[in-house]
Amino acid sequence: MRRLLFGMVLALVASVSTAAPARAAVDYTQGVTPVTASQARIWFTPTTASALVDVHYVVAGSPDGQQNFRMTRNGGTWEKAVAGQSFEYWFTYEKGGPLYDTPHFTYGQGGGTPTDGTFPVTFQNNTRGTWSNSQIHVLVLGMATPGEWSYLRPDGTMAHINHLDESAPNHLTKNGRNYANMSFTLARAGTVTMPSRVEGGRIYISVGSPMFLPISPDDRGWGGPDLRNPDDPNLDVYFDWYEFTYRDGVVPFGGNTTQVDMFGFPMTARLTQRAIGYDQTVGITLTRDQVLAQYPAAVGPAFRPLANAYRIVAPRSSSTFRPGGAQAGHLQSTIDQTWAYYTTHPFTLTRLNQTFTGRVAGDRLTFTKDGAGPFFLDKPTTTDVVECSGALASAGMSTTALELGAEFCAAFNRGVAMNPASWYTPAAYYPATPRNDYARFFHTIGLDHRAYGFAYDDINDQSSVRILPNANPPTSLTIGIGW
């Protein structure tokens, strides 16, 4: 599951609701009444008369996906018959003009009530006394409904992001700007219940201060930290994060620690699913001081300035490796040499029972995949390589070109682009400069030498991503917060 897979997964799920988050449960009662062995009636009773109530549901095992219906009013109760023994469902209802979305619910009959798909996430304070639980802040963002961003409350419920929270009581303020207070501390909740559906999720963890994330006026988006912006309010905040996506019964849980954008402090992630004996841990167990001390000696001069008191910035997040920056041409010699080589020699890569073949003419690689084509890949720049963008991944490229672009991105970062025979041989990675020393370093200190040092570091299964082999909920996720 590469870093961009979250967006790909979300694109597969249709979004039908643009309502605000639900009000308190006192606004309504709801439930499901079995009618036959294979049919049930969903009902919803608002405390204040509603002009409309829509129900959305996904029947377990059905290929039809999400269904959306206007419910039928029967007195003060709205109803909808559903064929299925087990399903996830939620409502959109009108109250006083605005529309509100409820949380998701589950129902099962015959075989008994199924698990609700939730699971516990535990946060371990491994800072060795440097930071108390009251100084460690957690902010979880994700989509409980496709296209709609919410944050996790410490009680395990999701609340839709709302720009009005930026001026609500207990809001945050920094540099003269207000921000919504969406975090909780470990002192308030060391273990939380993760809902049965959070896609494109991110768990921000910060110490000594909460995160300051703006919310768009339309409540449809939020602004993450921008490490190239000298005015970003999080530049002097110690933070890091964990990425994940999950939908009970539909999308298997997958998550990873990451250094794609930066390293803030060591984190570990232990994922378990007791029923199948799954128990794996990824991340970094060194102390922060050890990481910061080892980094300068392990990387070349181009990468040493990426470290500062708050973090080690990834090349993709630094202006230094962008056009006009001091290291904008750091990888240019190996890029030029590789493209020149494939001008006079055929390019061939066989992986996953697929074969790419081609040759460079000018600045363009023309190639086929299993004989089909032609497809094209333009010559990348250093920025394209460290960002896995531009000539290697951009809008308008064919799916096949994106496939090979991802492979070249990994090969250039790993220093093996001229030898496709080494692209799937980890022992051959990072042989000599020029290469991405930043990514190489985090592979040397990561558990099992796994890291997410650049955007396609999951190629050949080198990243810290862990995905369960089924769509059942994890037994637990434990995030270790080091220092």
Side-chain angles (χ1 to χ4, degrees):
M1 180 189 63
R2 63 193 50 162
R3 192 165 185 268
L4 300 181
L5 181 59
F6 294 134
M8 296 166 61
V9 169
L10 293 173
L12 299 175
V13 185
S15 175
V16 298
S17 174
T18 57
R23 294 188 176 186
V26 294
D27 275 4
Y28 60 86
T29 56
Q30 62 81 29
V32 180
T33 302
V35 177
T36 68
S38 60
Q39 191 175 62
R41 180 180 294 108
I42 303 175
W43 58 268
F44 182 95
T45 304
T47 56
T48 301
S50 295
L52 64 89
V53 179
D54 291 339
V55 63
H56 321 283
Y57 62 88
V58 180
V59 176
S62 171
D64 297 331
Q66 180 177 315
Q67 302 294 301
N68 311 286
F69 288 96
R70 179 64 46 82
M71 301 183 79
T72 301
R73 181 159 47 192
N74 184 3
T77 297
W78 296 75
E79 300 176 333
K80 176 67 176 75
V82 175
Q85 293 182 315
S86 179
F87 47 84
E88 175 186 12
Y89 66 100
W90 63 103
F91 306 92
T92 300
Y93 66 101
E94 183 271 343
K95 181 175 179 178
L99 298 179
Y100 297 89
D101 282 338
T102 71
H104 290 221
F105 309 99
T106 56
Y107 167 78
Q109 65 167 315
T113 302
T115 176
D116 62 6
T118 65
F119 62 93
V121 179
T122 298
F123 300 97
Q124 289 183 343
N125 182 347
N126 297 332
T127 67
R128 299 170 292 114
T130 304
W131 303 98
S132 68
N133 285 353
S134 62
Q135 294 175 299
I136 300 179
H137 303 259
V138 176
L139 171 54
V140 182
L141 289 160
M143 297 187 195
T145 300
E148 299 295 331
W149 288 96
S150 297
Y151 67 93
L152 183 71
R153 297 188 182 105
D155 64 3
T157 60
M158 296 290 280
H160 198 282
I161 59 172
N162 188 338
H163 74 285
L164 297 179
D165 288 343
E166 294 181 344
S167 56
N170 300 317
H171 68 264
L172 306 175
T173 300
K174 188 167 186 181
N175 299 334
R177 192 201 191 283
N178 292 343
Y179 299 88
N181 189 354
M182 300 181 288
S183 301
F184 58 88
T185 66
L186 266 59
R188 185 175 180 187
T191 297
V192 294
T193 299
M194 196 63 68
S196 60
R197 182 176 186 176
V198 180
E199 296 176 83
R202 181 168 287 195
I203 301 175
Y204 282 107
I205 298 173
S206 57
V207 297
S209 167
M211 300 288 292
F212 301 92
L213 304 183
I215 298 172
S216 62
D218 62 1
D219 299 333
R220 302 300 299 278
W222 52 276
D226 181 358
L227 301 179
R228 290 195 295 265
N229 177 5
D231 297 321
D232 190 282
N234 300 290
L235 288 186
D236 61 354
V237 176
Y238 298 106
F239 69 90
D240 215 302
W241 67 85
Y242 177 84
E243 301 170 329
F244 72 103
T245 200
Y246 164 68
R247 182 179 175 187
D248 180 39
V250 179
V251 178
F253 180 91
N256 58 273
T257 57
T258 176
Q259 289 82 45
V260 168
D261 294 290
M262 53 155 273
F263 163 84
F265 44 78
M267 290 174 52
T268 58
R270 180 185 180 188
L271 179 65
T272 73
Q273 193 179 70
R274 188 177 302 116
I276 62 171
Y278 189 99
D279 188 341
Q280 296 194 26
T281 302
V282 296
I284 298 170
T285 56
L286 296 179
T287 68
R288 188 173 189 270
D289 285 346
Q290 288 173 327
V291 174
L292 294 179
Q294 292 180 23
Y295 178 78
V299 302
F303 295 86
R304 289 171 193 158
L306 296 176
N308 60 49
Y310 290 95
R311 59 190 54 86
I312 304 175
V313 178
R316 65 172 276 140
S317 301
S318 169
S319 299
T320 304
F321 285 82
R322 294 177 63 82
Q327 302 301 331
H330 178 72
L331 296 175
Q332 200 58 52
S333 61
T334 190
I335 293 170
D336 291 345
Q337 187 178 8
T338 300
W339 240 239
Y341 180 82
Y342 293 130
T343 299
T344 57
H345 298 77
F347 166 78
T348 302
L349 172 68
T350 299
R351 99 290 188 255
L352 306 177
N353 296 317
Q354 298 170 328
T355 299
F356 299 83
T357 58
R359 192 181 290 268
V360 170
D363 283 343
R364 170 169 281 192
L365 173 66
T366 301
F367 67 95
T368 62
K369 175 184 175 183
D370 292 336
F375 304 99
F376 308 97
L377 205 63
D378 290 329
K379 183 180 180 180
T381 65
T382 293
T383 302
D384 294 340
V385 171
V386 298
E387 291 186 349
C388 293
S389 64
L392 300 178
S394 62
M397 291 175 62
S398 69
T399 300
T400 303
L402 289 171
E403 283 184 75
L404 190 58
E407 297 283 348
F408 262 108
C409 173
F412 275 123
N413 277 290
R414 293 167 177 166
V416 293
M418 285 189 58
N419 186 11
S422 298
W423 288 19
Y424 275 66
T425 306
Y429 294 166
Y430 306 105
T433 58
R435 63 194 177 194
N436 187 337
D437 278 358
Y438 170 91
R440 175 183 177 273
F441 171 71
F442 284 103
H443 279 280
T444 65
I445 66 172
L447 292 175
D448 195 29
H449 299 294
R450 293 180 175 275
Y452 226 144
F454 56 88
Y456 287 110
D457 213 354
D458 59 336
I459 284 181
N460 197 26
D461 191 25
Q462 297 302 296
S463 76
S464 55
V465 168
R466 284 292 174 264
I467 304 175
L468 291 177
N470 58 65
N472 298 326
T475 300
S476 66
L477 173 66
T478 303
I479 304 294
I481 305 161
W483 193 261

